[in-house]
Amino acid sequence: MHSSSSTMFSRTPWSIQSMLVLAFVFLWYPASLESAQVFRSDDPVSIDRDNLPVSMVVRRKINDYDDFLENTFFKVGERKKQRAVNINTLGEVPNSSWFTNRIGAGVISPEQLVQGANRGEGPAPGKLTVIGGKTQGVTPGFTIKDSLGDTYFLKFDPATNPQMATSAEMISSKFFDALGYNVPEYYLINFNPSDLEIPPGATIRNELDDRIPLTKKFVDKLVSKVAHNEDGSIRAIASKLIPGSNVGPFKFYSTRGDDPNDIFPHEHRRELRGYYIFCSWLNHDDSRSVNTADFYVGSNGQGSVKHYLIDFGSTLGSGSLTAQKLRPGNENIFEARPTFARMFSFGIWLPSWVSVGFPDFPTIGRIEADFFQPDRWKPEYPNPAFQNMDAEDAFWATRLVLMFRDQDIRSMATAGRISNKVAEEYLVSTLIKRRDKVGNYWLRQVSPLDGFRVVDGELMFEDLLVKYGFDKEMRQYNASFASFDNKTGAKANVGTGSANRQGRLPLPAMIATAAENSFHVVTLTADSHAVDVFLKSVSGTQRIVGIQRK
Amino acid sequence: MKPGIFLLGSFSLVLWTASVMVGQEVTRAEEAEALRRQKTAVSKPDQSNTIEAAMLWVQERKLQEKLETPGAGYKGLRPRLGGLSTGSGFGFGIQFDRVEMLNNQLDFSLVAAGSLRQYQLYQTKIDLPRLAGEHIFVSATATHRAMPQEDYFGLGPDSKKSNRSDYLYEDTSYGARGGVRPLRWLRVGAAVDWLQLNVGHGTDPRFTSTERVFNDQNTPGLDRQPDFLRSQWFVAIDTRDSAGNPRSGGYYAASHTTYHDRSLHEFGFRRFETDLQQYVPFNAGHRVIAFRFHSSFDDPKQGQRVPFYLQQSLGGSNDLRGFREFRFRDRNQLVSNLEYRWEVFSGLDMALFGDAGKVFSGRKDLDLDNLETSYGFGFRFNTVKSVIWRIDIARSREGTRAFIKFDNVF
């Protein structure tokens, strides 16, 4: 992993920061004298072991309004052009408490994609015992225990848009799981209000935090607001209680002060920067801190923190309580330039998103692909990690997006159990089209070469623009070869060459027969983009140990 | 932990880490682990900044909800801001609510409020708004109001701004109201109440009290005030998407009210009133044309007069915004407002508006001649459901007026 002492603890208190800077000096001291090598013996790492035992983590709270204000009107976190700090030398994100390479680690079957994070079948048949409720807002929610004693939180669809929010949450959670994030287990269920059992003497806290009796009438009143099926039953999405202790959301900048494992500033984590790409694809405009959760897992004193994404009700065409409105995804809640443009033009100036049309699918809400521009998509308010995203982050994420084949997307959409098959097909075709737009745009911002391997003295690679059909044929790539001093990082040119259009580049004999543990770098260039591929001689073969795109 | 011990401990850890590593390659995993072990020594929970801490304090105590929700607060008691009549100045008071009693049918409230200009309001209300599955509504109210600085400029469209005076208006009413709501958008009902009135000496030191400028001849009811039995029927069709901040639909209401003078038999009259509102959205609801037309016609009973204090007035933040509150007053009134509202961002709409209206005494003046007009622009800070506060700046032939109000204009 590449780490940076200058950015790692940008918002930790001064005393801690100074201690850690000091620690860095000592830590790097022997390395600078003895082994300042660029590539270490364990590169590229595939696992970031960020699960050292943590004695105690205090539950933190984030205020919605404060989160909006600080992200909208202040520059939180560190903003500078800097490569992501938690990546390995291949530019990949190692598995950690934040992220587990799933689709990125290889092909996942459609069945596995649909299974997602789920490890069971959802609430067991029988009575659902209501143990809590959420009375705030237009759509209520319940906490229930099933007959096996497992706890779930139930959420519903707005009466105006049956199936919309629950299907969006179901489908999107599958995508985010497949991409590699930690998400809760989600299950779609149908139940009759009579299936809800209320224990004698049960109470819940209402919106004023007062403890009030939980009565059948109260429950009936709550469910009366939500969408019902034609047979009177109610469709809900049941999210299983995440194991561990909820210690509050994470922020998209800085690190968590009481979690020693959290050493990489969040605004410089690749999976949080690249999260922008996934959110734009799936229209997850509500991708903010309040929809994340850290859980302390493991026994007290021996556990560690695991980071989750939660609440996908405002994704795809759903705005949770209504069909998604026109602004979300196109403009932040507040943006100075369009605000003043509208103010001083007396509203005559109209953003182009106002005139976007959508088909009338209440079960889908509003999502489209024709107007969608991958680089213009916006979350509800600025996100420091998104704003730090560079072309390499985008490439990393885009490559994962493109790994979802048409049939994968179609299979995952079925997880939403949308009864209107025309609507479902529209959603599938929209996601495919958005996926292709994401790929066609972001692959052009950096060298699109990938799949590097050395076979029989040739460096082989593929052009993702060609692989995914955005270009018809591979460009002519020029290559330069250099020896690489792993201790100093110095390069010395040793020759040039050119790859054929099948993505094969013969390596010079001096590289193919290089001494054990010697390093070389191959730079492939086409148009304005280049990629460095670092090779290390190991047992007479060339092993790829590093990739850096320019 | 004392800072010195803390520092020493951390330093020791760092030195230990460094010494272990001298002379050998540091792997990525070792490097990361060392950093984590160092952070273990100095880790501590994040502290919220002052603003966030304050917001969390409010959030955790549910203060906003407790202030806004009937029945919330301390044992049902909560402060009340504003809510007095136009021109009362900054008002505040206390409100007690009990809601959803008797099987979720009955709400009860008590209000006591005053203002910096010594306006007072005392009200108790028993409300049954959800009978028969919310198809029937009934309420009973007792109210006392004291408004010691009500402006009066004289009657008719030609009243002079320079004749501004003020008077005390007090009323006490006991009444009931009920009706049916056969459809979600239709309400039909009736109301009756007993109304006791008093008009007296105005207390605004800046202006002459009304009785010193005007007399009972040109200002009916100035000398004596009767008790009224007031009866009313009403019908309202409401297709607005949101009553508090409508962007589409309409509101069409009509009422007929009879004021029976039960003590002097001198001031009985009938009033027919209409209020029509239409909201036309365009550009996907991000722009709205809002139109309102309001009319009120008073018809005195044979040989009787309409008292000046019950006559409709024009002027102020809700109708002719370029004129002072109560600037024009007469037995009949026509007023219309046209607003072009545009969304500036999710929490703010702006508006350009024009107001036109007139008061008049007889049917011969029922036309669109001699309308008073004003125009201006405004800012509406809002949510989807309501306008939280607004600033309107309006201009008329009598100058420029600015309002900060905590309600929608209509």
Side-chain angles (χ1 to χ4, degrees):
Chain A
M1 282 166 285
H2 295 272
S3 57
S4 166
S5 58
S6 63
T7 63
M8 194 164 284
F9 307 104
S10 59
R11 281 182 60 92
T12 41
W14 184 87
S15 58
I16 297 178
Q17 192 170 31
S18 59
M19 292 302 297
L20 292 175
V21 169
L22 198 61
F24 252 95
V25 171
F26 277 92
L27 189 68
W28 281 96
Y29 173 72
S32 62
L33 289 183
E34 303 290 334
S35 57
Q37 69 253 40
V38 178
F39 295 100
R40 315 284 177 85
S41 59
D42 58 343
D43 282 331
V45 296
S46 57
I47 299 175
D48 176 16
R49 299 193 186 283
D50 61 349
N51 57 352
L52 294 179
V54 178
S55 57
M56 191 179 74
V57 179
V58 177
R59 178 163 189 165
R60 80 197 285 179
K61 292 177 180 172
I62 288 179
N63 179 274
D64 237 358
Y65 297 115
D66 180 74
D67 198 49
F68 162 73
L69 292 173
E70 75 168 13
N71 283 293
T72 299
F73 298 107
F74 301 96
K75 282 204 167 179
V76 290
E78 187 183 55
R79 312 293 177 91
K80 70 173 188 181
K81 289 193 173 181
Q82 177 186 317
R83 210 174 179 213
V85 295
N86 70 317
I87 52 176
N88 65 18
T89 50
L90 295 176
E92 299 297 327
V93 175
N95 292 347
S96 69
S97 62
W98 295 80
F99 189 85
T100 305
N101 286 282
R102 295 193 181 102
I103 197 163
V107 176
I108 305 179
S109 71
E111 293 74 25
Q112 287 172 308
L113 290 171
V114 173
Q115 179 77 14
N118 293 1
R119 296 293 171 263
E121 299 297 322
K127 289 286 182 186
L128 304 173
T129 305
V130 182
I131 59 172
K134 164 182 161 259
T135 59
Q136 297 100 316
V138 179
T139 55
F142 291 119
T143 307
I144 55 117
K145 265 193 193 299
D146 69 2
S147 54
L148 297 176
D150 290 329
T151 302
Y152 294 85
F153 189 73
L154 303 187
K155 289 195 292 185
F156 309 97
D157 290 299
T160 51
N161 295 78
Q163 303 179 357
M164 178 191 71
T166 52
S167 62
E169 185 132 27
M170 193 70 184
I171 295 167
S172 294
S173 69
K174 305 294 182 194
F175 278 106
F176 283 106
D177 172 78
L179 287 164
Y181 297 94
N182 300 313
V183 301
E185 294 183 41
Y186 285 106
Y187 301 91
L188 277 177
I189 63 168
N190 288 289
F191 68 95
N192 287 306
S194 58
D195 293 335
L196 294 175
E197 192 170 74
I198 299 161
T203 59
I204 63 165
R205 289 194 179 276
N206 65 9
E207 64 268 29
L208 302 170
D209 219 23
D210 296 329
R211 194 163 276 288
I212 58 171
L214 180 61
T215 61
K216 183 171 185 316
K217 194 160 193 172
F218 181 83
V219 171
D220 288 345
K221 185 182 167 191
L222 285 189
V223 297
S224 70
K225 298 175 183 174
V226 308
H228 285 58
N229 297 326
E230 285 180 3
D231 62 359
S233 64
I234 296 172
R235 170 175 151 133
I237 188 154
S239 60
K240 192 172 184 181
L241 184 68
I242 297 172
S245 170
N246 188 344
V247 290
F250 63 79
K251 292 200 172 192
F252 282 87
Y253 64 89
S254 189
T255 60
R256 190 172 177 130
D258 55 357
D259 179 9
N261 288 309
D262 190 11
I263 58 171
F264 299 114
H266 302 172
E267 68 271 32
H268 293 311
R269 294 192 72 100
R270 176 154 286 176
E271 69 273 37
L272 295 186
R273 291 173 167 200
Y275 184 40
Y276 170 86
I277 299 292
F278 309 135
C279 292
S280 69
W281 177 35
L282 301 171
N283 205 27
H284 186 7
D285 67 299
D286 218 10
S287 42
R288 52 200 178 117
S289 288
V290 293
N291 289 323
T292 67
D294 286 346
F295 277 77
Y296 184 82
V297 291
S299 57
N300 267 351
Q302 294 300 309
S304 59
V305 177
K306 195 171 175 182
H307 313 274
Y308 283 81
L309 303 179
I310 58 171
D311 199 346
F312 305 100
S314 185
T315 59
L316 307 179
S318 169
S320 287
L321 307 179
T322 61
Q324 188 56 282
K325 300 202 182 311
L326 299 179
R327 179 198 54 76
N330 293 300
E331 191 177 306
N332 297 145
I333 289 174
F334 175 83
E335 275 186 58
R337 189 185 294 254
T339 293
F340 290 120
R342 282 188 287 266
M343 185 178 281
F344 294 114
S345 70
F346 299 100
I348 293 169
W349 178 80
L350 275 175
S352 49
W353 48 260
V354 166
S355 52
V356 175
F358 297 87
D360 183 21
F361 290 129
T363 52
I364 298 292
R366 290 195 192 102
I367 185 171
E368 64 79 54
D370 294 329
F371 181 78
F372 168 66
Q373 294 171 282
D375 59 324
R376 302 279 177 89
W377 182 90
K378 290 184 178 170
E380 284 295 77
Y381 45 82
N383 178 315
F386 291 0
Q387 292 181 324
N388 278 342
M389 186 186 77
D390 61 19
E392 272 196 293
D393 299 321
F395 176 86
W396 169 81
T398 299
R399 199 183 53 169
L400 295 185
V401 168
L402 291 169
M403 286 179 181
F404 290 95
R405 301 165 300 174
D406 291 1
Q407 61 266 39
D408 296 332
I409 294 171
R410 191 161 277 112
S411 297
M412 294 168 84
T414 63
R417 290 194 227 154
I418 299 164
S419 56
N420 182 340
K421 292 303 164 193
V422 178
E424 184 182 281
E425 184 51 37
Y426 169 78
L427 177 63
V428 169
S429 62
T430 301
L431 288 180
I432 289 172
K433 201 167 182 180
R434 286 172 79 106
R435 176 201 64 189
D436 292 345
K437 277 191 153 185
V438 166
N440 200 13
Y441 178 81
W442 288 111
L443 289 184
R444 295 183 193 282
Q445 310 308 311
V446 70
S447 173
L449 301 187
D450 194 37
F452 294 101
R453 60 211 183 275
V454 177
V455 179
D456 298 333
E458 287 186 321
L459 177 65
M460 301 177 72
F461 54 88
E462 56 193 6
D463 183 332
L464 296 187
L465 284 168
V466 176
K467 178 180 180 180
Y468 291 108
F470 305 127
D471 280 349
K472 286 186 176 155
E473 63 176 16
M474 194 181 280
R475 288 169 179 73
Q476 179 69 51
Y477 279 90
N478 296 318
S480 65
F481 305 103
S483 61
F484 180 76
D485 187 333
N486 192 40
K487 289 189 177 176
T488 64
K491 295 177 189 173
N493 286 335
V494 295
T496 59
S498 63
N500 68 16
R501 290 181 186 267
Q502 281 73 49
R504 301 163 81 104
L505 174 69
L507 295 173
M510 67 166 296
I511 295 180
T513 59
E516 183 75 0
N517 289 332
S518 62
F519 288 83
H520 289 86
V521 57
V522 180
T523 303
L524 287 159
T525 308
D527 302 331
S528 58
H529 300 306
V531 56
D532 285 341
V533 181
F534 294 86
L535 305 172
K536 181 181 180 183
S537 293
V538 179
S539 304
T541 62
Q542 295 300 314
R543 186 176 150 209
I544 294 168
V545 293
I547 296 172
Q548 187 159 3
R549 290 163 212 284
K550 302 170 185 172
Chain B
M1 186 185 289
K2 289 182 180 175
I5 297 172
F6 181 72
L7 193 68
L8 188 63
S10 303
F11 228 86
S12 303
L13 181 66
V14 170
L15 288 171
W16 174 82
T17 307
S19 64
V20 166
M21 292 179 174
V22 168
Q24 62 187 29
E25 185 207 72
V26 182
T27 65
R28 298 287 175 200
E30 287 167 343
E31 179 188 26
E33 184 174 339
L35 286 172
R36 288 181 171 123
R37 294 208 182 281
Q38 288 164 41
K39 192 178 175 187
T40 302
V42 294
S43 69
K44 65 176 185 179
D46 299 317
Q47 299 294 314
S48 299
N49 62 44
T50 309
I51 295 172
E52 186 179 28
M55 288 181 166
L56 282 169
W57 191 85
V58 171
Q59 176 184 307
E60 287 168 7
R61 282 154 188 79
K62 308 273 183 186
L63 289 188
Q64 186 183 348
E65 292 86 347
K66 286 178 179 174
L67 283 175
E68 292 174 350
T69 311
Y74 177 73
K75 297 185 184 299
L77 283 170
R78 59 194 170 108
R80 174 188 166 112
L81 297 178
L84 295 175
S85 60
T86 299
S88 62
F90 178 68
F92 52 92
I94 193 162
Q95 181 155 350
F96 171 80
D97 301 280
R98 278 289 164 86
V99 296
E100 300 182 352
M101 295 184 290
L102 295 183
N103 209 15
N104 190 34
Q105 296 297 332
L106 191 141
D107 300 339
F108 173 75
S109 68
L110 271 174
V111 175
S115 78
L116 296 177
R117 297 177 69 180
Q118 298 177 322
Y119 280 54
Q120 297 172 53
L121 168 70
Y122 307 95
Q123 185 178 70
T124 181
K125 184 176 184 183
I126 295 170
D127 199 3
L128 295 103
R130 296 175 291 274
L131 295 171
E134 301 190 5
H135 289 301
I136 296 175
F137 53 93
V138 178
S139 64
T141 311
T143 307
H144 174 75
R145 298 184 298 173
M147 298 182 272
Q149 297 182 10
E150 294 289 276
D151 285 345
Y152 181 64
F153 297 82
L155 293 180
D158 301 322
S159 61
K160 290 186 168 50
K161 187 181 174 185
S162 57
N163 278 347
R164 183 176 178 182
S165 64
D166 76 303
Y167 65 97
L168 162 73
Y169 174 85
E170 289 180 300
D171 68 13
T172 303
S173 64
Y174 313 92
R177 178 184 175 89
V180 295
R181 192 183 177 198
L183 300 165
R184 187 189 56 78
W185 45 267
L186 176 64
R187 290 164 72 95
V188 180
V192 62
D193 62 354
W194 184 260
L195 183 62
Q196 297 172 312
L197 293 161
N198 177 46
V199 169
H201 189 77
T203 63
D204 191 335
R206 297 171 297 166
F207 305 104
T208 309
S209 188
T210 298
E211 77 278 8
R212 293 186 179 161
V213 182
F214 299 96
N215 56 48
D216 194 71
Q217 291 298 311
N218 54 32
T219 303
L222 186 59
D223 288 349
R224 298 191 301 168
Q225 297 82 42
D227 294 340
F228 287 100
L229 175 66
R230 183 167 54 186
S231 60
Q232 182 188 61
W233 62 259
F234 59 88
V235 59
I237 294 170
D238 189 352
T239 63
R240 293 173 295 182
D241 56 346
S242 164
N245 188 15
R247 289 177 181 273
S248 66
Y251 178 77
Y252 323 99
S255 65
H256 184 272
T257 309
T258 303
Y259 287 79
H260 307 273
D261 179 348
R262 306 303 294 174
S263 52
L264 303 176
H265 306 288
E266 193 180 333
F267 295 105
F269 66 99
R270 289 174 286 271
R271 170 172 293 164
F272 181 70
E273 204 169 0
T274 60
D275 192 51
L276 310 175
Q277 300 171 25
Q278 188 66 47
Y279 301 88
V280 182
F282 59 103
N283 288 335
H286 294 269
R287 309 285 182 271
V288 177
I289 298 291
F291 175 75
R292 177 204 187 203
F293 174 78
H294 180 263
S295 67
S296 179
F297 304 104
D298 292 349
D299 178 24
K301 291 183 178 176
Q302 186 73 35
Q304 300 193 22
R305 299 184 293 168
V306 180
F308 81 98
Y309 45 81
L310 291 178
Q311 292 184 21
Q312 295 280 33
S313 66
L314 274 184
S317 62
N318 294 92
D319 39 61
L320 271 181
R321 283 165 276 190
F323 293 89
R324 283 201 167 278
E325 291 81 0
F326 312 110
R327 176 63 187 83
F328 302 104
R329 193 187 291 257
D330 213 326
R331 287 166 24 189
N332 304 301
Q333 178 196 79
L334 294 175
V335 63
S336 67
N337 310 95
L338 182 64
E339 290 204 350
Y340 160 60
R341 299 172 182 171
W342 72 96
E343 186 182 280
V344 175
F345 71 92
S346 295
L348 174 66
D349 282 3
M350 284 184 69
L352 289 175
F353 58 80
D355 309 321
K358 67 189 283 190
V359 297
F360 52 100
S361 57
R363 288 183 184 174
K364 64 180 174 50
D365 294 317
L366 178 55
D367 53 36
L368 298 180
D369 296 337
N370 302 317
L371 291 172
E372 294 288 357
T373 59
S374 66
Y375 58 91
F377 65 96
F379 301 85
R380 314 290 160 75
F381 296 89
N382 55 28
T383 65
V384 173
K385 288 184 177 176
S386 63
V387 172
I388 299 167
W389 62 289
R390 65 182 162 102
I391 299 171
D392 279 346
I393 298 162
R395 182 154 182 83
S396 72
R397 65 179 174 84
E398 293 192 348
T400 301
R401 303 270 297 149
F403 303 94
I404 298 176
K405 304 294 286 185
F406 295 90
D407 60 8
N408 207 348
V409 61
F410 53 85

